[in-house]
Amino acid sequence: MAGKELNNISPSEKIGRRVFDSKDEKAARHAERPWVRRKLFKPKSGNKVSTDRLDHASYERMIEIVKKTDLSRGDRFKGWVFLVVGEASKDGRNVIYSPTHENPYHVDIELPDPVTDNKEDEIDHAQALADIAKWYYPSNNADTLTLDEESDTRGGSD
Amino acid sequence: MQTETYSTCESQERRLSGGHESIPLFLLGYSFALHERLPVVFFWPGTNISRYPQPNDAILKEHTLGAVLPLRVSGSSQEPLRAAQRDLENVMAVAHEEGFINPSEIALKNARKLLVDMYNISPRYYQVYPTEDGDISIDAPGGYNRSFVALCYRDGRVLCLVNINGDRKKRLYENIESLPDSFATNALERLHQASDDEWLARN
């Protein structure tokens, strides 16, 4: 799976934020009180949050990609928390398809520019994304959220 | 402290009508019961009888995709508060372990007060932890697309964030003096109510 179909990002598509901390994993997978910590969605630098598109390759293939692209942390990889593109791209955020040679499924969630100068806005966006994320179980592919709009979101690297 | 208890099912009510017309019927029923050696239970007119016992214990409710359970507590059970307070007293150690900036004394003092106040408004589990900037966060996850956060800044300010089904608001306070105000109180109550409405709709 590659090529043309990757250029269009559907609003119902799942994108995942990698999790390396066992505390984050434990919190997100809690049986009774799952909780995704907002620190997972704070940009490391700039105003972009890296994610992986999860609907286009097998789970095993995605893990291989993680291990290649996160060399220093690959062994500690726990899984993903995922969110839906349509929800991630609200409130002035953009979801931009930005493939790399090692990761053809890479996507950035781009926060509005002024956010980087404003701590409260950055926290607000991180919390908003955490609120719509949950742990990704690859067997639960039917667990997609329905959206009100079915318009295509054309993405591409800038 | 505000506490509320809920039964997990509708309570059945039986109400005896008061008045003279019920007496002959009562005597007839009583006579029959004695004749047939049936157990007899007496009710005063106007008594409400619940089919199911009134719950005294904490009731758990499941909500949404994330299965968040805002724990309603009753009586003297304050385990969620105690758990959060333990986490709060541990923030310095956690910050040190994570290599974060140490939270300040004012942040800790504010968090201690706010946690109790928030619990009094909404008795439930809270997530309490230090951030890399030396702030202390008190989070109330409320299910999918719902949360309330009180972030006690290192410099004494407090940021409150609320998200109810995508309706998001925030407010930054210069200090804790006015907290909890109507913004925070309403937010916590709405968070609970939103969870309850969804639970009621599903059940």
Side-chain angles (χ1 to χ4, degrees), chain B residues 13-135:
Chain B
E13 293 185 354
R14 284 191 289 156
R15 194 185 297 271
L16 284 180
S17 59
H20 306 293
E21 63 275 11
S22 63
I23 294 176
L25 191 62
F26 165 72
L27 288 173
L28 182 64
Y30 182 58
S31 302
F32 176 76
L34 282 180
H35 182 263
E36 297 295 320
R37 296 188 184 181
L38 295 174
V40 176
V41 181
F42 290 93
F43 308 106
W44 291 110
T47 304
N48 296 332
I49 307 295
S50 294
R51 173 175 293 179
Y52 303 101
Q54 292 301 311
N56 293 321
D57 300 322
I59 303 296
L60 300 180
K61 298 177 188 176
E62 270 194 318
H63 305 270
T64 71
L65 304 169
V68 171
L69 303 175
L71 179 64
R72 295 247 183 205
V73 296
S74 67
S76 60
S77 172
Q78 295 195 355
E79 178 49 34
L81 174 61
R82 284 197 289 272
Q85 286 172 324
R86 281 195 295 269
D87 289 340
L88 182 52
E89 295 313 313
N90 210 28
V91 291
M92 295 295 193
V94 172
H96 178 74
E97 184 186 306
E98 300 278 357
F100 294 164
I101 297 172
N102 264 344
S104 61
E105 279 304 317
I106 182 105
L108 191 54
K109 183 180 167 192
N110 287 348
R112 282 177 182 139
K113 179 192 180 294
L114 259 184
L115 177 60
V116 172
D117 289 341
M118 286 167 66
Y119 190 83
N120 284 342
I121 297 166
S122 178
R124 59 181 294 136
Y125 278 96
Y126 289 92
Q127 304 288 351
V128 182
Y129 58 96
T131 71
E132 59 187 3
D133 296 334
D135 308 323

Side-chain angles (χ1 to χ4, degrees), chain A residues 23 32 34 38 91 119-120 131, chain B residues 66-67 135 137 147 153 168:
Chain A
K23 288 182 193 163
E32 291 172 350
R38 68 173 171 274
D91 300 317
K119 176 177 175 175
E120 286 74 44
D131 285 345
Chain B
D135 308 323
S137 196
S147 67
Y153 281 8
R168 291 174 30 239

